[in-house]
Amino acid sequence: MAEKEQQPGHNSATPYNYGRADEESQTKELKRQKRKKLILYIAAFVVFQTIVIAIFSLTVMKVKTPKFRVRAASFETFSVTASSFDMRMNARVGVKNTNFGPYKFDDGTITFFYRGVEVGNAFVPKSTAKFQSTKRFNVAINLSSTTLPTNSELGSDFNSGILPLSCTSRLTGKVELMLVMKKKKATNMNCTMEVNIATQQLQNLKCK
């Protein structure tokens, strides 16, 4: 018996369908990998941006309190007797600003004390300490013992050759960041020092 002739086109579609399905599968896999990479890139970008913002907030945008200090001093006049003193001191002071923006402060006063009693003060004019810099200026102070009580320790201090002094002050102002944000900041001065009567010089100057 003669073999039946194979119907034309009976198996010819199978390789084609398999090939097409394989191509579609590959296309879907490529799209899935692309979406996965895109999600990873977005996640990495978000993490990077978060880190940048955190660093920016902790460094550039963090407002630090400026430091107000007496840096040195010299005497223009110096008069000391057995029971009194009268001198004019030129003090070099500084406002150190470590912020990434200028610190604009209002005028203020530096008050000097001898053992807790006020003996002089100096006017501090308003000014600006530029970003990452120190504003330096001079102030003149007349120091006098006229306000001291009669039972002060001035005589014993003169005998030791050392006149202890201290000074305090407070400046108020604003730190300006990115030309738009302003943050109020006040800085305090608290210094102790000694006047060497023999050499007429300031020594042991300490500020905090």
Side-chain angles (χ1 to χ4, degrees):
M1 180 183 292
E3 294 182 359
K4 294 182 179 180
E5 294 183 0
Q6 185 176 354
Q7 293 296 327
H10 181 69
N11 294 324
S12 60
T14 301
Y16 175 78
N17 290 337
Y18 283 163
R20 184 174 182 181
D22 188 57
E23 288 179 2
E24 290 179 353
S25 177
Q26 290 180 357
T27 301
K28 290 181 179 180
E29 178 64 20
L30 289 174
K31 289 182 178 180
R32 188 182 69 81
Q33 291 181 0
K34 287 182 179 180
R35 285 196 298 267
K36 186 177 180 180
K37 288 182 179 180
L38 181 61
I39 293 172
L40 289 175
Y41 290 151
I42 293 175
F45 179 75
V46 171
V47 171
F48 175 76
Q49 287 291 91
T50 303
I51 294 174
V52 170
I53 292 172
I55 294 175
F56 190 77
S57 300
L58 293 174
T59 55
V60 177
M61 299 302 290
K62 184 178 180 180
V63 179
K64 300 177 182 178
T65 301
K67 295 181 179 180
F68 186 29
R69 302 286 187 266
V70 173
R71 305 173 66 87
S74 59
F75 293 94
E76 190 175 314
T77 61
F78 196 94
S79 175
V80 175
T81 66
S83 59
S84 67
F85 65 83
D86 191 358
M87 54 190 74
R88 182 175 177 83
M89 182 170 69
N90 291 320
R92 291 183 287 279
V93 300
V95 179
K96 185 178 181 181
N97 177 29
T98 58
N99 293 292
F100 289 88
Y103 176 57
K104 299 180 180 180
F105 55 89
D106 300 324
D107 52 22
T109 302
I110 305 175
T111 305
F112 284 79
F113 302 90
Y114 165 77
R115 297 195 178 277
V117 180
E118 182 178 338
V119 292
N121 56 72
F123 174 73
V124 178
K126 65 178 181 180
S127 188
T128 300
K130 297 180 180 180
F131 73 96
Q132 294 286 305
S133 65
T134 300
K135 174 65 177 180
R136 297 179 176 87
F137 50 93
N138 297 331
V139 294
I141 313 101
N142 291 318
L143 302 173
S144 175
S145 60
T146 55
T147 57
L148 297 180
T150 55
N151 61 345
S152 71
E153 300 176 59
L154 196 57
S156 60
D157 286 331
F158 284 165
N159 290 333
S160 68
I162 298 297
L163 182 67
L165 296 176
S166 63
C167 66
T168 61
S169 184
R170 180 178 176 86
L171 293 180
T172 59
K174 294 180 180 179
V175 176
E176 186 177 281
L177 298 174
M178 308 299 291
L179 301 177
V180 291
M181 192 178 86
K182 295 181 180 180
K183 180 72 174 181
K184 291 183 179 180
K185 273 294 179 181
T187 175
N188 296 318
M189 173 192 287
N190 190 356
C191 301
T192 59
M193 64 203 77
E194 296 175 347
V195 178
N196 189 309
I197 297 173
T199 61
Q200 299 184 7
Q201 292 182 343
L202 201 66
Q203 63 186 33
N204 293 332
L205 174 59
K206 299 177 182 179
C207 295
K208 60 181 180 178

